[in-house]
Amino acid sequence: MKKLFLPFVSALAVLSSVVIACGPNLTSAFLSLAGSLLDGPEAWKRFGLADVRHVPASPKSLEPVVKSTNQWEKRLPSTLEVDVAEFERVMKEKNLPDQSLQELVANYQQIRHSQLSQWEDAEMLSLPKDNKMTALAAADLPWIKNQDWPENIPAEFKLYVKGVARFHDEGAKGAREVWMELLRLPQEQRLYRSAWAAWMLYKTAASDEDAQHWLEEVCRLIEKEKCTDSLRMQPAALALLELKASTRSPASLALHFHNAKANPRSAYFAALLEAARSIAGSPNAVIRAEAAKDAATREIITAVLAQDADIKDSSDQTNDPFKKRLTDWCAELESAKVKDDAVMSDVGIALYRVAEYELARKFLALGAKTWEALWIQGKLELQRGKPELAAAKYSEALRLFPKEESSTITSVTESIYDYSDIVEPPESGWLHGVRNSRFLAECGTVRLSRSDFAGALKLFLEAKCPHDAAYIVDHLMRADEILDFVKKYQLKTVPEKPVENQEAQTNWWAGGFRETVIYKPMNSFLYVVARRLAREAYFTRAREFYPPELVPFFDRYVSLYRRAQSRAVSREVRARCLMEAARYHRWYGMELFGAEGDPDAACWNGSFPAEDMQLMRCYNYKGKVGSWNWSESGEKIWKEEVPTTPISLRPAAFEIMRLKQNMLWGRPRFHYREVAAKMAREASHMLPRDSEEAAMMLAEAGCWVRTVENGIDPMFEELISRFAKTKFAKDADERRWYPDEFRSRVLDWNPEESLTQPMPGDTSGKE
C-alpha cells in the first residue's frame, strides 16, 4: 500500500461473506479483543524457499543436484501420488488387461491412502479434488488383513507396504524385519523400493550409529545400485550426514537450499530445516560466525528460527532450549555487526513473538525499515504507553504495506471454514491473510482511538472485519459523514449472483431475512448504511442501498409514513397510514431498521443477543476490561476482570460522546419494536376516544411490547382508561388481557399481502 488509502472499491471487492453460525460464543468484532492489540501476529513467518531473497552461492567443488530453480513454483506431487504412479508404471509393464490393471491400482491406492493418512494428512490437501478419497480402515482391506496379495504384484511393493502395516500394528521392530527382508531380494527385484526401505530403517534406528549407517545405505543404493529416488531421498540423506559430520559450512547449507527448491515437499526439506537449526546452535563458534556473515545462510537460518517462533505460543515465556537457540543466534548476528538487513527485522519480530521485548526493540532498530518491522515497533510503543509514537509507526507501516497484499486478506475475526465461497479448507496461504487482516484491523483501531472514524471504517472494511465497520456506522458517524464516505469512494450496490437453490444458500449480513440473500461484501456494507440512514429518516438516500427484494416494502413504508405526516388528508387517513407504517416497523423492523450489532443483532437475525460494544467501549475508556456473558434466561451480564496489563489503547473521549449522542444509546434489544409501538400509540391518539379502531390500534401495539412496571402494563392500562367507552376495551378489562383471537390475528399480519392493497384513503389502489 504505497499510499494511505487504496481505491476503496477494489479493497472491498476482496471481502468474503461470512456465515455467523456460532451464536454469542463467536467473537465477531476485533474491537472486542481489548487486550489483543499487543499480541504477536498470527502466522508471522512460515518458512518457504520462495521467501529467501539472497541467491546462495554454491562452492565449485559441490555441484548442485538440480540445475533449475523454477520447479518449486509448481504444485509438487505428494508421497501418495508418487507411490501410486510408480506402482502403476511397473504394473503396466506386465501387460495386464486394462480392467485388471485399474482394479489393482485402485486397491493399491486405497491401501496406501489409508496408511499415509495416519502420518501425513497434510499431503492430501495437495491432491486434485477428483483424486481425494475417503480413508479406509486397514481392517477392511483383505490385502492388509490377510497379506493375500495377487501373485503378479512385485514382492518389493508387497514387503514395503507390509512393513508399514507392521509399524502401525506392532511398532518399529516388526516393521524393520520386513524392510530388511525387502533389501535381501535380488537387486533387479527391488529397484523401486530399496531407497524407501533404507530410509525407513534410518527413521526407526535405535542409535545414532545405526541411523548414520542407513543414511549412507540410502546414498549407496541410489548411486551404486541405481535404485530409483522418486522422493529425492539421496540429497536429504546427504544433508543429514553432513549434520553428523565434524565439519560443515554455510556454503553446504546454501547448496542444499538450492537443491531443495526442486522439491520442498520431500524429506530433504525437513533435513534442511534441521540443518539450519543445528548450525544456529552449533557449539563451534567458527561455524556460527561464518553462518552469520554469509548473507544467504544468515537469511535461511533466520527464516527457519522465525518459523519456529511463529509456531511457538508467544505467551510462553519460559527459558526453554528454543528461546536459547534464538537468543544465541541474535548474539552471533550482533558480533557480525549486521545492519540494515531485513533478517534483523525478522529476528526482532521472532523475539517479539517469544516475549523478548527489549531485545526485539534493539534488533528492529538495526534492521531494514519494512512495514512488518514498523508494525511491531508500533506495538512496542503501545506497550510503553506511548500512543502518539505508536500511531506514527502504524501510519508509516500502512504507507509501506504492499498493494498486492490486500488481495490476500483472510478475516482475523472469523473462522476460515465459515466463508461461504470456500467449500473445503484452503490448501495454503490463509494464515498469511489472517496476519494481514490483523495488521489492517490494528491500524483501524489506532485510527479509531484518534477519532478518525472514516479512516477507521475504511481500514476495518479492508481488514474484512465487518462487525467493527458496522459499529462505526451504527453508533459513531453522523448520517452526513456516512454519506460523505460513500460519495468519496463512489460506493454503489451491484447485482447479486442468481441463487439456484435458495434453501441451500446461507445468508449472513441479511441474517436469513426471508428472501433477501446478500453475498457481495460491498452490498452487505451498504445494507448496513441503508438501515442507519432509514432510522434517521434519510429515506431517499437509504433507498439506493437496500437489496432489491426489500425495496418494495421500503417504498410502501415510506409512502405510508409521508402520508401520515401530510396535512392534505384527514386525521383518519393519517392514523391508518401511520398504523400500517407501524406494522412494517414491527414486522420488517429488523430488515429495514435493525442495527447490525447491538442492540438488535441483525447479523445473527436477532437469534442471539449481540455483544454490547457501546458499553464495552465505555468500560475500556475507564480502563476496565471484561467480557459479556449470557445467563440461561438470555440475560446479558458483564463480567469484569482484573487487567493483567493496562489497556494499551483506550477509546477517545470523543468516541464516547458520539456513542451517547446516538439514537441507539441505551436502547433495548429489538429497539424497532419499541419505535413501532410508539407509532401505533400515536396513530390511536389521532382518532376519537370512542373509536373501536383506535382501541384496537393501541391494543395491537401492546401485543408487540411488554413494558410491565411494578406489575402494571402501562399500554394495557391506557387502553382500558382512554378507550373505556369501546366494547373492545371493556372486553379486555374483563379478561384483564387482550382477547386471544385478537392477538392471533395481529401476530399473523402479512407484509407481502399489504403490498397488493390500496393505500389508506386511496380507493384506486394508487398513491
Side-chain angles (χ1 to χ4, degrees):
M1 186 179 291
K2 300 300 182 183
K3 296 182 179 180
L4 187 59
F5 292 118
L6 287 174
F8 191 74
V9 173
S10 63
L12 280 178
V14 298
L15 285 166
S16 296
S17 297
V18 180
V19 178
I20 304 299
C22 301
N25 295 321
L26 177 65
T27 299
S28 302
F30 186 78
L31 291 171
S32 300
L33 312 173
S36 71
L37 210 59
L38 297 182
D39 290 352
E42 293 93 341
W44 173 257
K45 193 78 173 179
R46 288 285 184 255
F47 175 62
L49 299 175
D51 295 334
V52 179
R53 295 169 289 270
H54 293 94
V55 178
S58 299
K60 293 181 179 179
S61 59
L62 295 173
E63 289 298 325
V65 176
V66 179
K67 303 291 185 182
S68 172
T69 61
N70 295 327
Q71 296 183 41
W72 65 269
E73 296 176 352
K74 302 175 183 177
R75 190 193 70 80
L76 297 164
S78 66
T79 300
L80 179 63
E81 288 175 291
V82 171
D83 192 355
V84 174
E86 205 163 43
F87 175 80
E88 184 175 11
R89 185 168 63 251
V90 171
M91 298 309 297
K92 280 183 178 179
E93 295 174 358
K94 297 182 177 294
N95 296 319
L96 298 173
D98 288 345
Q99 185 174 356
S100 299
L101 175 63
Q102 292 173 6
E103 183 179 350
L104 284 173
V105 171
N107 288 337
Y108 185 79
Q109 184 174 6
Q110 288 179 343
I111 293 172
R112 295 297 287 134
H113 182 199
S114 176
Q115 293 180 332
L116 286 168
S117 64
Q118 300 179 51
W119 284 358
E120 40 187 318
D121 288 326
E123 289 279 5
M124 299 312 299
L125 291 176
S126 71
L127 280 177
K129 291 182 180 179
D130 56 352
N131 284 345
K132 290 186 178 180
M133 304 162 54
T134 303
L136 303 175
D140 295 332
L141 299 168
W143 287 11
I144 293 294
K145 186 176 181 180
N146 305 318
Q147 290 85 44
D148 185 19
W149 289 64
E151 294 182 0
N152 54 6
I153 292 182
E156 60 178 316
F157 286 95
K158 297 178 186 178
L159 290 171
Y160 182 78
V161 174
K162 180 180 177 182
V164 175
R166 284 274 187 93
F167 183 82
H168 286 316
D169 293 340
E170 305 172 16
K173 184 178 180 180
R176 289 175 65 86
E177 292 174 356
V178 177
W179 291 322
M180 293 284 286
E181 182 182 350
L182 187 160
L183 292 174
R184 288 194 289 269
L185 293 173
Q187 179 183 357
E188 64 276 7
Q189 296 181 23
R190 54 173 174 78
L191 293 176
Y192 294 96
R193 288 295 171 267
S194 289
W196 292 44
W199 181 265
M200 292 306 298
L201 288 166
Y202 146 69
K203 295 287 287 184
T204 55
S207 66
D208 288 343
E209 292 76 10
D210 192 32
Q212 181 166 341
H213 164 73
W214 286 112
L215 286 173
E216 292 171 349
E217 189 66 10
V218 168
C219 297
R220 189 191 69 81
L221 288 167
I222 295 169
E223 290 178 7
K224 305 296 184 183
E225 297 192 8
K226 306 304 178 185
C227 295
T228 61
D229 188 15
S230 50
L231 288 180
R232 300 202 56 73
M233 293 174 181
Q234 183 190 19
L238 288 171
L240 290 166
L241 286 170
E242 284 199 11
L243 288 177
K244 300 177 182 301
S246 58
T247 61
R248 54 186 176 272
S249 69
S252 66
L253 179 66
L255 168 68
H256 289 298
F257 162 79
H258 180 85
N259 292 338
K261 277 194 172 184
N263 192 353
R265 294 187 64 83
S266 69
Y268 191 1
F269 184 62
L272 175 69
L273 300 181
E274 190 54 43
R277 296 184 185 107
S278 180
I279 292 175
S282 172
N284 189 323
V286 175
I287 291 176
R288 294 198 312 271
E290 186 181 355
K293 291 176 182 178
D294 181 80
T297 308
R298 180 170 69 230
E299 187 178 6
I300 294 168
I301 293 174
T302 299
V304 173
L305 297 184
Q307 172 190 260
D308 293 343
D310 199 23
I311 295 171
K312 186 166 181 64
D313 182 4
S314 59
S315 64
D316 184 359
Q317 300 185 30
T318 56
N319 186 22
D320 55 21
F322 162 76
K323 184 179 287 190
K324 184 176 186 306
R325 181 166 61 229
L326 179 60
T327 52
D328 286 350
W329 179 241
C330 291
E332 208 62 58
L333 293 175
E334 273 195 279
S335 298
K337 298 182 179 180
V338 180
K339 292 183 180 180
D340 298 325
D341 192 318
V343 299
M344 301 299 276
S345 300
D346 289 341
V347 168
I349 296 165
L351 289 166
Y352 188 93
R353 288 279 298 168
V354 295
E356 289 286 346
Y357 299 120
E358 289 306 314
L359 202 53
R361 184 186 304 278
K362 179 178 181 180
F363 273 80
L364 288 168
L366 292 171
K369 186 183 286 188
T370 63
W371 73 269
E372 300 99 327
L374 288 163
W375 177 18
I376 306 303
Q377 285 177 321
K379 288 177 176 288
L380 289 167
E381 294 300 339
L382 285 176
Q383 193 181 72
R384 294 172 61 193
K386 305 287 186 181
E388 295 295 328
L389 292 176
K393 293 290 185 184
Y394 271 97
S395 294
E396 194 173 359
L398 193 57
R399 284 193 292 272
L400 296 178
F401 186 68
K403 183 176 181 179
E404 59 270 17
E405 292 287 356
S406 296
S407 64
T408 68
I409 303 297
T410 301
S411 176
V412 69
T413 62
E414 311 291 352
S415 165
I416 184 63
Y417 301 105
D418 285 341
Y419 279 72
S420 62
D421 59 347
I422 296 179
V423 295
E424 296 182 2
E427 294 181 7
S428 63
W430 68 273
L431 288 173
H432 179 83
V434 170
R435 179 201 70 176
N436 292 342
S437 174
R438 173 178 282 277
F439 168 67
L440 294 174
E442 288 187 15
C443 288
T445 305
V446 172
R447 290 291 178 88
L448 186 58
S449 73
R450 301 172 70 79
S451 302
D452 179 5
F453 300 142
L457 173 58
K458 178 181 178 296
L459 286 164
F460 280 129
L461 286 169
E462 289 180 349
K464 295 187 180 178
C465 296
H467 299 278
D468 299 278
Y471 164 72
I472 295 174
V473 169
D474 278 338
H475 301 288
L476 300 183
M477 296 178 75
R478 298 193 308 265
D480 61 307
E481 293 172 337
I482 297 170
L483 289 171
D484 287 343
F485 183 89
V486 171
K487 180 180 179 181
K488 179 177 181 179
Y489 298 107
Q490 301 178 356
L491 305 185
K492 297 180 181 178
T493 56
V494 293
E496 290 285 347
K497 61 185 179 182
V499 180
E500 296 179 0
N501 183 358
Q502 181 89 17
E503 295 182 358
Q505 302 295 337
T506 305
N507 172 23
W508 68 292
W509 279 79
F513 297 157
R514 297 169 171 82
E515 300 301 318
T516 305
V517 179
I518 300 177
Y519 295 100
K520 295 186 181 298
M522 186 186 302
N523 293 355
S524 302
F525 168 68
L526 291 176
Y527 183 30
V528 177
V529 170
R531 284 174 277 155
R532 167 62 195 276
L533 295 176
R535 287 197 295 271
E536 298 191 23
Y538 284 74
F539 296 138
T540 302
R541 294 306 310 274
R543 185 183 188 277
E544 61 188 278
F545 304 130
Y546 275 105
E549 296 86 351
L550 290 177
V551 170
F553 301 101
F554 182 71
D555 286 346
R556 175 81 174 189
Y557 172 86
V558 172
S559 296
L560 290 163
Y561 183 86
R562 286 176 173 164
R563 179 169 286 196
Q565 310 302 316
S566 173
R567 299 294 177 179
V569 295
S570 66
R571 287 178 64 87
E572 289 78 6
V573 170
R574 290 170 56 201
R576 289 164 187 155
C577 286
L578 187 59
M579 186 62 202
E580 188 177 340
R583 293 186 181 111
Y584 271 101
H585 216 106
R586 166 60 182 89
W587 298 109
Y588 255 38
M590 182 76 81
E591 292 87 337
L592 299 180
F593 306 101
E596 186 69 7
D598 63 303
D600 304 319
C603 61
W604 296 331
N605 196 18
S607 299
F608 306 98
E611 291 178 311
D612 197 329
M613 282 292 295
Q614 301 175 79
L615 291 181
M616 184 180 292
R617 294 292 284 175
C618 289
Y619 275 110
N620 294 160
Y621 173 68
K622 297 176 182 178
K624 299 179 180 180
V625 297
S627 59
W628 290 107
N629 296 271
W630 284 266
S631 65
E632 293 183 359
S633 62
E635 181 184 1
K636 188 163 50 180
I637 304 171
W638 171 263
K639 183 179 180 181
E640 189 168 335
E641 302 165 2
V642 178
T644 54
T645 57
I647 296 177
S648 56
L649 199 62
R650 297 189 189 187
F654 188 68
E655 177 184 339
I656 305 304
M657 183 188 75
R658 279 290 183 91
L659 281 176
K660 295 183 178 180
Q661 290 175 343
N662 190 277
M663 66 178 295
L664 292 178
W665 175 257
R667 304 317 306 159
R669 188 179 177 194
F670 310 131
H671 85 282
Y672 51 83
R673 297 180 183 175
E674 188 179 75
V675 175
K678 290 180 180 179
M679 293 170 64
R681 182 173 179 268
E682 183 182 346
S684 72
H685 285 200
M686 290 180 180
L687 299 176
R689 291 186 175 223
D690 60 353
S691 168
E692 294 286 344
E693 183 181 7
M696 286 189 282
M697 285 180 180
L698 188 60
E700 189 169 345
C703 294
W704 296 342
V705 293
R706 292 296 304 275
T707 54
V708 178
E709 300 175 4
N710 300 321
I712 299 174
D713 187 327
M715 195 79 78
F716 182 81
E717 296 301 323
E718 181 178 350
L719 169 69
I720 61 177
S721 61
R722 183 180 181 88
F723 300 103
K725 296 180 181 180
T726 64
K727 180 179 183 302
F728 183 88
K730 291 176 182 178
D731 289 346
D733 189 21
E734 183 177 342
R735 296 168 179 265
R736 295 308 301 166
W737 195 233
Y738 308 112
D740 292 341
E741 61 275 11
F742 172 78
R743 295 184 70 251
S744 299
R745 177 165 56 83
V746 301
L747 295 178
D748 287 340
W749 183 75
N750 189 334
E752 289 83 353
E753 290 181 3
S754 72
L755 293 179
T756 64
Q757 303 300 316
M759 292 281 291
D762 186 355
T763 57
S764 67
K766 300 179 181 180
E767 280 195 82

